[in-house]
Amino acid sequence: MIIKTTEVQAINSFFRLESLKEVYGIIWMFVPILTLVLGITIGVLVIVWLEREISAGIQQRIGPEYAGPLGILQALADGTKLLFKENLLPSRGDTRLFSIGPSIAVISILLSYSVIPFGYRLILADLSIGVFLWIAISSIAPFGLLMSGYGSNNKYSFLGGLRAAAQSISYEIPLTLCVLSISLLSNSSSTVDIVEAQSKYGFGGWNLWRQPIGFIVFLISSLAECERLPFDLPEAEEELVAGYQTEYSGIKFGLFYVASYLNLLVSSLFVAVLYLGGWNLSISYIFVPELFEIDKAGRVFGTIIGIFIILAKTYLFLFISITTRWTLPRLRMDQLLNLGWKFLLPIALGNLLLTTSFQLLSL
């Protein structure tokens, strides 16, 4: 059978076109991931700058002012400095655990961003179990801290790792019970569905008003999960030098620093999604229907407005977290555990039972 030259060329051009389509598809698949990572990086740099400026204002001193305009590049300068510093390894420690620990802490938190919606269709993975996937993934981070403490072969580091694990277990349970109450109210565990359930009545439809007790418990538990003052017992400098990160230097120390701010940002985003209406405007459909038509249609203007709205709500919670750091004194370890087990857990459980009862009565 003789095949003409023109047919061979046509077949070759077809296969080239198909291979180009596959390459284009693979590249396009990574574009949303890289965009999200870039946005997270910028968000963390802004948080670091805001914390330093707000802290300086509270303490009546001058904050960062030399690295870039208004000191905005100070965090970038610190990261560059840590990148070029020497990585020291403890001579008698477990080097594998010591090296893997910071990576586990950062990666587990980064994966949580995949289920956060910044708009109606602006989400990396809209899963039916979105909020519980976040809780499951974030519970892996304390393992990294425990591995770091154990691999350091240092009593202070090991105590810090144990404290991090105990604190995470103590406050994850009330946090999960609050999230379960929100899922019952919204009849879904998808983050997009939870935001949509709050959007019908605008400002009055926020879960903040329907779950005020759950909001307070969630707020306290998320601060404890982020190990922010007054809950930073795993790295209390007066007792444990620097806790699980005592033996770290260079970029590995920087990874712990980044992980704490990543965790703070993701917790703030979930506060905005679960309790503050997410990307939606705080105005009822009845009053301004055309704005919500733009938002629901997924147009560019509506998407940009939605991103700005959810970021404004997120940074409002971040402001509360930063001011809390310089307002309240650090708790003792026994006080921290008592608060989690004896107060927050019964309150969160009672809130869940009340929510379930109201949902059953409304059927």
Side-chain angles (χ1 to χ4, degrees), residues 1-12:
M1 183 178 179
I2 300 172
I3 302 175
K4 295 180 181 179
T5 309
T6 54
E7 292 178 353
V8 173
Q9 290 175 350
I11 292 169
N12 288 336

Side-chain angles (χ1 to χ4, degrees), residues 174-190:
L175 192 78
T176 307
L177 293 175
C178 293
V179 171
L180 188 56
S181 301
I182 295 294
S183 297
L184 283 171
L185 277 179
S186 308
N187 295 318
S188 176
S189 297
S190 166

Side-chain angles (χ1 to χ4, degrees), residues 89-102 151-152 248 252:
L89 297 174
S91 58
R92 297 183 182 180
D94 191 324
T95 53
R96 287 178 298 178
L97 294 179
F98 186 82
S99 302
I100 292 170
S152 298
Y248 282 89
K252 291 176 183 174

Side-chain angles (χ1 to χ4, degrees), residues 44 47 55 103 121 204 287:
V44 168
I47 292 171
S55 304
S103 305
R121 300 182 187 277
F287 299 114

